[in-house]
């Protein structure tokens, strides 16, 4: 079958922006929801879920998380996933710097959490002291905080809940690893392909390589995408010079609704910047960490999707119950009443969504 750019654009939207369901159902269907601590106007995970969960309000994931069969962890990025997905990622091996610097501290921290229940980094600092190590970016970090991250990575602790951006940990039940390594790798690659489908082969190969950190015991990552294309687990099409793939037999049916959506910078529809530029013809950039003088779009701007085109970006602020949106457009604002009405409806949905945030 021959596919066009319009087909790929439509599929990218229809597959990912499915009809709203329950919170558990949305996490299950997506397979992974990327997390980010920046709140402008809400965290990325909330901005992603609001399009896919009926009646979703900012903060609902945090509020409902303890009752959901969902885990915080890393696949290719940090985020939320069905708890059973952890069985695809473990065992995780490898010594961390903090273990060499503070022999036996990991065992003592694990014993403390098991004895005292839910624990955050402040409780450990009060008990063990404010010893230091190097953090992820070469800066100073608290050794007990790094030990919590290590025990979480190893599957010995889990994130039980959050207090704002502070993770509260608890002892984790044993992780069931029921599948052989080849099947675990296959399922992880298909999970990533499904999340961003249709996804360029080059992008999928890159994020599969990132599994070396989250699933270090799995081998065969370098050839995994080619192997699944060869086996027929991934369907494929070359469109306008780009090779796209998606899980076999999962080409979604349906039409793109004539609505406006303000998407999170990390929403699966717009996450891959190279695919974004190929599908919509302009280079959107996430500029929260870009020096102010070099920003084109702004600190935290949301791509504006109108039907099947991303036509611009919006900076949204919600203060004292009032929503303000500053929009920019690639080729000018659409000059028709239908767009104005659709934009107004989306801004009202955003206002209601943000009312839940504290």
């Amino acid at each position: 079958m021959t596919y066009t750019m319009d087909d790929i654009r439509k599929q990218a939207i229809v597959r990912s922006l499915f009809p709203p369901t329950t919170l558990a159902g949305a996490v299950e269907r997506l397979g992974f929801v990327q997390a980010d601590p920046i709140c402008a106007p809400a965290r990325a995970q909330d901005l992603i879920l609001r399009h896919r969960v009926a009646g979703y309000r900012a903060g609902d994931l945090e509020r409902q998380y303890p009752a959901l069969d969902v885990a915080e962890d890393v696949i290719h990025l940090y985020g939320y996933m069905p708890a059973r997905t952890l069985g695809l990622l473990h065992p995780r091996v490898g010594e961390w710097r903090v273990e060499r610097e503070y022999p036996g501290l990991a065992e003592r921290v694990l014993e403390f959490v098991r004895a005292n229940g839910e624990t955050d980094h402040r409780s450990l600092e009060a008990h063990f002291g404010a010893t230091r190590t190097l953090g992820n970016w070469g800066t100073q970090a608290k050794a007990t905080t790094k030990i919590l991250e290590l025990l979480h990575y190893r599957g010995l602790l889990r994130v039980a809940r959050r207090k704002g951006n502070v993770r509260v940990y608890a002892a984790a039940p044993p992780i069931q690893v029921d599948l052989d390594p080849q099947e675990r790798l296959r399922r992880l690659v298909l999970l990533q392909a499904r999340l961003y489908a249709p996804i360029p082969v080059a992008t999928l190969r890159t994020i599969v390589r990132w599994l070396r950190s989250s699933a270090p015991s799995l081998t065969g990552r370098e050839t995994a995408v080619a192997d699944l294309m060869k086996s027929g687990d991934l369907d494929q099409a070359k469109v306008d010079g780009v090779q796209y793939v998606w899980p076999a037999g999962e080409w979604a049916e349906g039409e793109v609704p004539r609505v406006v959506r303000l998407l999170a910078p990390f929403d699966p529809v717009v996450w891959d910047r190279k695919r974004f530029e190929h599908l919509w013809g302009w280079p959107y950039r996430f500029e929260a960490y870009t020096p102010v003088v070099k920003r084109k779009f702004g600190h935290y701007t949301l791509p504006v999707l109108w039907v099947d085109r991303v036509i611009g970006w919006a900076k949204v602020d919600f203060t004292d119950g009032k929503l303000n949106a500053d929009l920019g457009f690639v080729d000018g604002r659409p000059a028709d009443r239908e767009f104005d009405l659709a934009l107004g409806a989306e801004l009202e949905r955003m206002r209601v969504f943000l009312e839940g945030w504290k």
Side-chain angles (χ1 to χ4, degrees):
M1 182 174 177
T2 301
Y3 294 92
T4 66
M5 284 287 288
D6 283 341
D7 293 328
I8 299 296
R9 269 191 294 264
K10 176 181 174 181
Q11 189 64 194
I13 296 165
V14 171
R15 281 186 55 90
S16 185
L17 292 168
F18 45 81
T21 181
T22 64
L23 178 50
V27 176
E28 177 72 30
R29 182 156 177 177
L30 286 168
F32 176 81
V33 179
Q34 184 173 343
D36 189 85
I38 297 177
C39 182
R43 296 186 187 121
Q45 53 267 38
D46 288 319
L47 291 167
I48 291 169
L49 289 167
R50 80 177 188 93
H51 294 291
R52 298 163 173 94
V53 178
Y56 191 85
R57 300 291 185 269
D60 275 355
L61 177 60
E62 183 176 316
R63 287 186 283 268
Q64 298 181 35
Y65 174 86
L68 296 172
D69 192 23
V70 168
E72 278 195 42
D73 214 298
V74 177
I75 300 182
H76 54 302
L77 299 161
Y78 192 88
Y80 299 85
M81 66 200 75
R84 68 175 183 280
T85 302
L86 295 177
L88 305 179
L89 301 167
H90 287 263
R92 287 170 170 167
V93 296
E95 185 182 51
W96 286 28
R97 177 192 185 104
V98 69
E99 292 180 283
R100 297 192 301 271
E101 293 175 335
Y102 300 97
L105 181 58
E107 290 77 10
R108 296 197 299 274
V109 168
L110 181 59
E111 182 180 354
F112 178 90
V113 177
R114 286 173 172 169
N116 292 278
E118 293 186 355
T119 304
D120 63 21
H121 67 90
R122 291 168 296 196
S123 301
L124 291 183
E125 184 179 356
H127 185 78
F128 292 99
T131 50
R132 294 286 179 171
T133 186
L134 283 181
N136 294 336
W137 309 107
T139 56
Q140 288 291 303
K142 295 171 183 176
T144 48
T145 299
K146 292 302 295 181
I147 290 292
L148 284 174
E149 294 173 3
L150 165 65
L151 295 172
H152 181 204
Y153 177 79
R154 297 260 175 86
L156 297 171
L157 295 182
R158 63 182 178 86
V159 177
R161 57 187 176 88
R162 280 180 176 259
K163 292 188 290 187
N165 281 331
V166 176
R167 300 170 193 163
V168 180
Y169 293 90
I175 294 173
Q176 298 297 317
V177 181
D178 300 322
L179 303 170
D180 65 64
Q182 185 176 5
E183 178 60 17
R184 286 160 49 212
L185 178 60
R186 172 183 171 276
R187 294 193 184 195
L188 283 171
V189 176
L190 289 176
L191 184 158
Q192 294 170 313
R194 185 172 291 113
L195 177 64
Y196 300 117
I199 181 172
V201 169
T203 300
L204 184 56
R205 285 175 175 157
T206 296
I207 61 178
V208 168
R209 285 196 293 270
W210 296 349
L211 293 175
R212 66 181 179 271
S213 297
S214 60
S217 61
L218 299 182
T219 59
R221 294 182 296 273
E222 294 300 323
T223 63
V225 175
D227 293 342
L228 293 185
M229 292 170 67
K230 187 180 299 184
S231 68
D233 286 294
L234 290 173
D235 284 338
Q236 56 187 297
K238 193 168 188 177
V239 181
D240 192 29
V242 176
Q243 193 77 20
Y244 284 93
V245 293
W246 58 93
E250 294 189 16
W251 189 264
E253 300 298 328
E255 297 300 320
V256 179
R258 298 190 64 78
V259 298
V260 170
R261 298 180 191 265
L262 303 184
L263 301 174
F266 309 118
D267 192 283
V269 174
V270 297
W271 179 84
D272 179 5
R273 302 300 187 245
K274 290 183 179 179
R275 187 185 80 163
F276 184 106
E277 190 166 355
H278 188 234
L279 294 185
W280 288 294
W282 60 280
Y284 168 75
R285 297 289 182 264
F286 177 64
E287 297 179 332
Y289 304 108
T290 301
V292 174
V293 296
K294 295 184 178 181
R295 290 175 184 164
K296 175 181 179 181
F297 305 107
H299 169 256
Y300 197 97
T301 54
L302 313 179
V304 177
L305 177 67
W306 167 226
V307 194
D308 64 347
R309 295 294 193 275
V310 181
I311 62 172
W313 57 94
K315 179 182 178 181
V316 176
D317 175 70
F318 187 69
T319 305
D320 297 328
K322 183 178 180 181
L323 181 77
N324 296 296
D326 182 16
L327 276 70
F329 297 93
V330 179
D331 295 315
R333 181 184 178 119
D336 61 78
R337 180 167 171 75
E338 183 185 16
F339 172 77
D340 291 340
L341 291 173
L343 175 60
E346 171 66 346
L347 293 177
E348 175 59 15
R349 289 191 294 270
M350 177 67 82
R351 185 192 66 79
V352 173
F353 156 77
L354 290 171
E355 283 183 336
W357 185 251
K358 293 182 180 180

